[in-house]
Amino acid sequence: MSDAFGRMWKRPDEVLSMVPTPEEFTELVDTIVDRYDIPYIDAIIEICEHFDREIESIGSLITPKIKLALTEEASKSKLLRDNSFALDRLG
């Protein structure tokens, strides 16, 4: 997975030294999810590894769209007993 992900950064317009806004982060996550057909959590982890960031440091970049996708994936994988708790917190 990491090799395939690394190849995506060949195009200069996709190389970012940092992801400054939640909207740009969401766009990057969506691009990786769509391009590589991987779960959102895996895309987020790959981005953190690529930019050498701790996963705990990106909380402010997680948008409601990503929260919803993560909740749905966790629910489908039966990692959550009841997804209504997480969905209620999205506002």
Side-chain angles (χ1 to χ4, degrees):
M1 170 59 208
S2 290
D3 291 335
F5 178 76
R7 286 192 295 271
M8 109 169 248
W9 301 103
K10 285 185 177 179
R11 294 190 359 219
D13 61 323
E14 289 184 338
V15 176
L16 302 172
S17 61
M18 57 188 276
V19 183
T21 67
E23 293 77 21
E24 290 173 339
F25 184 77
T26 298
E27 185 177 333
L28 181 58
V29 171
D30 285 339
T31 298
I32 293 169
V33 166
D34 292 341
R35 187 174 292 175
Y36 297 105
D37 193 30
I38 62 173
Y40 274 81
I41 190 65
D42 291 342
I44 292 169
I45 291 168
E46 289 291 337
I47 291 167
C48 287
E49 288 176 359
H50 181 79
F51 290 112
D52 196 29
R53 292 180 183 235
E54 296 294 324
I55 194 108
E56 294 85 3
S57 72
I58 61 155
S60 64
L61 299 176
I62 303 296
T63 60
K65 178 183 177 183
I66 292 177
K67 288 179 186 178
L68 181 60
L70 290 170
T71 301
E72 288 174 352
E73 286 177 355
S75 180
K76 286 178 185 175
S77 299
K78 300 190 191 269
L79 297 174
L80 293 177
R81 261 186 248 148
D82 179 12
N83 67 356
S84 62
F85 172 77
L87 292 176
D88 288 343
R89 292 183 163 228
L90 292 179

